[in-house]
mmCIF file of all heavy atoms in Angstrom:
data_model
loop_
_atom_site.group_PDB
_atom_site.id
_atom_site.type_symbol
_atom_site.label_atom_id
_atom_site.label_comp_id
_atom_site.label_asym_id
_atom_site.label_seq_id
_atom_site.Cartn_x
_atom_site.Cartn_y
_atom_site.Cartn_z
ATOM 1 N N GLY Q 566 -16.815 9.481 41.833
ATOM 2 C CA GLY Q 566 -15.625 10.230 42.287
ATOM 3 C C GLY Q 566 -15.627 11.659 41.766
ATOM 4 O O GLY Q 566 -16.654 12.339 41.712
ATOM 5 N N SER Q 567 -14.443 12.110 41.333
ATOM 6 C CA SER Q 567 -14.254 13.478 40.917
ATOM 7 C C SER Q 567 -15.059 13.822 39.649
ATOM 8 O O SER Q 567 -15.505 14.946 39.464
ATOM 9 C CB SER Q 567 -12.760 13.760 40.667
ATOM 10 O OG SER Q 567 -12.275 12.946 39.656
ATOM 11 N N GLU Q 568 -15.273 12.817 38.760
ATOM 12 C CA GLU Q 568 -16.051 13.073 37.559
ATOM 13 C C GLU Q 568 -17.530 13.391 37.907
ATOM 14 O O GLU Q 568 -18.114 14.270 37.360
ATOM 15 C CB GLU Q 568 -15.966 11.906 36.616
ATOM 16 C CG GLU Q 568 -14.585 11.714 35.975
ATOM 17 C CD GLU Q 568 -14.590 10.583 34.991
ATOM 18 O OE1 GLU Q 568 -15.406 9.658 35.135
ATOM 19 O OE2 GLU Q 568 -13.733 10.597 34.076
ATOM 20 N N LEU Q 569 -18.059 12.636 38.860
ATOM 21 C CA LEU Q 569 -19.442 12.874 39.293
ATOM 22 C C LEU Q 569 -19.530 14.245 39.994
ATOM 23 O O LEU Q 569 -20.477 14.997 39.737
ATOM 24 C CB LEU Q 569 -19.868 11.778 40.255
ATOM 25 C CG LEU Q 569 -21.268 11.929 40.835
ATOM 26 C CD1 LEU Q 569 -22.345 11.975 39.711
ATOM 27 C CD2 LEU Q 569 -21.579 10.750 41.787
ATOM 28 N N GLU Q 570 -18.539 14.577 40.807
ATOM 29 C CA GLU Q 570 -18.534 15.853 41.494
ATOM 30 C C GLU Q 570 -18.457 17.008 40.461
ATOM 31 O O GLU Q 570 -19.099 18.024 40.609
ATOM 32 C CB GLU Q 570 -17.352 15.956 42.430
ATOM 33 C CG GLU Q 570 -17.463 15.022 43.632
ATOM 34 C CD GLU Q 570 -16.201 15.015 44.516
ATOM 35 O OE1 GLU Q 570 -15.224 15.742 44.152
ATOM 36 O OE2 GLU Q 570 -16.187 14.306 45.516
ATOM 37 N N GLY Q 571 -17.686 16.784 39.378
ATOM 38 C CA GLY Q 571 -17.583 17.806 38.353
ATOM 39 C C GLY Q 571 -18.884 17.996 37.613
ATOM 40 O O GLY Q 571 -19.286 19.139 37.276
ATOM 41 N N LEU Q 572 -19.615 16.902 37.389
ATOM 42 C CA LEU Q 572 -20.927 17.008 36.699
ATOM 43 C C LEU Q 572 -21.921 17.770 37.543
ATOM 44 O O LEU Q 572 -22.657 18.653 37.078
ATOM 45 C CB LEU Q 572 -21.461 15.623 36.408
ATOM 46 C CG LEU Q 572 -22.857 15.555 35.829
ATOM 47 C CD1 LEU Q 572 -22.880 16.078 34.418
ATOM 48 C CD2 LEU Q 572 -23.426 14.120 35.852
ATOM 49 N N ILE Q 573 -21.915 17.465 38.855
ATOM 50 C CA ILE Q 573 -22.856 18.162 39.749
ATOM 51 C C ILE Q 573 -22.524 19.646 39.815
ATOM 52 O O ILE Q 573 -23.424 20.507 39.801
ATOM 53 C CB ILE Q 573 -22.777 17.512 41.157
ATOM 54 C CG1 ILE Q 573 -23.293 16.059 41.137
ATOM 55 C CG2 ILE Q 573 -23.544 18.356 42.171
ATOM 56 C CD1 ILE Q 573 -23.078 15.288 42.391
ATOM 57 N N ALA Q 574 -21.218 19.963 39.854
ATOM 58 C CA ALA Q 574 -20.805 21.348 39.907
ATOM 59 C C ALA Q 574 -21.170 22.080 38.634
ATOM 60 O O ALA Q 574 -21.596 23.254 38.642
ATOM 61 C CB ALA Q 574 -19.290 21.445 40.159
ATOM 62 N N ALA Q 575 -21.033 21.402 37.502
ATOM 63 C CA ALA Q 575 -21.380 22.024 36.192
ATOM 64 C C ALA Q 575 -22.881 22.317 36.116
ATOM 65 O O ALA Q 575 -23.299 23.397 35.647
ATOM 66 C CB ALA Q 575 -20.944 21.115 35.077
ATOM 67 N N HIS Q 576 -23.709 21.365 36.538
ATOM 68 C CA HIS Q 576 -25.145 21.572 36.539
ATOM 69 C C HIS Q 576 -25.526 22.747 37.415
ATOM 70 O O HIS Q 576 -26.324 23.617 37.017
ATOM 71 C CB HIS Q 576 -25.844 20.298 37.039
ATOM 72 C CG HIS Q 576 -27.320 20.398 37.150
ATOM 73 N ND1 HIS Q 576 -27.958 20.860 38.261
ATOM 74 C CD2 HIS Q 576 -28.342 20.148 36.218
ATOM 75 C CE1 HIS Q 576 -29.261 20.864 38.074
ATOM 76 N NE2 HIS Q 576 -29.497 20.455 36.841
ATOM 77 N N ARG Q 577 -24.917 22.849 38.571
ATOM 78 C CA ARG Q 577 -25.232 23.957 39.449
ATOM 79 C C ARG Q 577 -24.783 25.294 38.836
ATOM 80 O O ARG Q 577 -25.522 26.272 38.869
ATOM 81 C CB ARG Q 577 -24.500 23.793 40.796
ATOM 82 C CG ARG Q 577 -24.697 24.962 41.763
ATOM 83 C CD ARG Q 577 -23.906 24.848 43.039
ATOM 84 N NE ARG Q 577 -23.930 26.074 43.801
ATOM 85 C CZ ARG Q 577 -24.882 26.460 44.628
ATOM 86 N NH1 ARG Q 577 -25.934 25.679 44.804
ATOM 87 N NH2 ARG Q 577 -24.769 27.601 45.259
ATOM 88 N N ARG Q 578 -23.595 25.319 38.254
ATOM 89 C CA ARG Q 578 -23.109 26.556 37.697
ATOM 90 C C ARG Q 578 -24.023 27.061 36.573
ATOM 91 O O ARG Q 578 -24.239 28.265 36.421
ATOM 92 C CB ARG Q 578 -21.678 26.371 37.179
ATOM 93 C CG ARG Q 578 -21.006 27.667 36.717
ATOM 94 C CD ARG Q 578 -19.568 27.489 36.453
ATOM 95 N NE ARG Q 578 -18.967 28.730 35.979
ATOM 96 C CZ ARG Q 578 -17.727 28.801 35.472
ATOM 97 N NH1 ARG Q 578 -16.945 27.743 35.441
ATOM 98 N NH2 ARG Q 578 -17.261 29.986 35.071
ATOM 99 N N LEU Q 579 -24.523 26.160 35.757
ATOM 100 C CA LEU Q 579 -25.342 26.563 34.613
ATOM 101 C C LEU Q 579 -26.726 27.009 35.011
ATOM 102 O O LEU Q 579 -27.361 27.821 34.349
ATOM 103 C CB LEU Q 579 -25.443 25.405 33.621
ATOM 104 C CG LEU Q 579 -24.213 25.046 32.839
ATOM 105 C CD1 LEU Q 579 -24.402 23.788 32.056
ATOM 106 C CD2 LEU Q 579 -23.758 26.207 31.926
ATOM 107 N N THR Q 580 -27.265 26.449 36.115
ATOM 108 C CA THR Q 580 -28.695 26.590 36.399
ATOM 109 C C THR Q 580 -29.005 27.323 37.711
ATOM 110 O O THR Q 580 -30.097 27.900 37.820
ATOM 111 C CB THR Q 580 -29.398 25.230 36.474
ATOM 112 O OG1 THR Q 580 -28.834 24.449 37.553
ATOM 113 C CG2 THR Q 580 -29.235 24.445 35.162
ATOM 114 N N HIS Q 581 -28.109 27.312 38.686
ATOM 115 C CA HIS Q 581 -28.450 27.877 39.990
ATOM 116 C C HIS Q 581 -28.589 29.403 39.923
ATOM 117 O O HIS Q 581 -27.794 30.054 39.297
ATOM 118 C CB HIS Q 581 -27.416 27.523 41.039
ATOM 119 C CG HIS Q 581 -27.892 27.675 42.438
ATOM 120 N ND1 HIS Q 581 -27.883 28.903 43.093
ATOM 121 C CD2 HIS Q 581 -28.381 26.791 43.339
ATOM 122 C CE1 HIS Q 581 -28.360 28.773 44.300
ATOM 123 N NE2 HIS Q 581 -28.656 27.486 44.483
ATOM 124 N N PRO Q 582 -29.615 29.995 40.605
ATOM 125 C CA PRO Q 582 -29.824 31.430 40.576
ATOM 126 C C PRO Q 582 -28.627 32.227 41.034
ATOM 127 O O PRO Q 582 -28.409 33.350 40.576
ATOM 128 C CB PRO Q 582 -31.032 31.638 41.485
ATOM 129 C CG PRO Q 582 -31.750 30.333 41.454
ATOM 130 C CD PRO Q 582 -30.686 29.269 41.333
ATOM 131 N N GLU Q 583 -27.811 31.662 41.931
ATOM 132 C CA GLU Q 583 -26.659 32.380 42.425
ATOM 133 C C GLU Q 583 -25.414 32.236 41.555
ATOM 134 O O GLU Q 583 -24.384 32.813 41.794
ATOM 135 C CB GLU Q 583 -26.341 31.953 43.867
ATOM 136 C CG GLU Q 583 -27.419 32.318 44.871
ATOM 137 C CD GLU Q 583 -27.083 31.879 46.267
ATOM 138 O OE1 GLU Q 583 -25.972 31.282 46.476
ATOM 139 O OE2 GLU Q 583 -27.932 32.095 47.162
#
Side-chain angles (χ1 to χ4, degrees):
S567 61
E568 290 184 335
L569 179 59
E570 292 174 359
L572 175 69
I573 294 171
H576 177 272
R577 175 184 171 84
R578 187 172 178 189
L579 290 172
T580 62
H581 197 279
E583 295 180 1

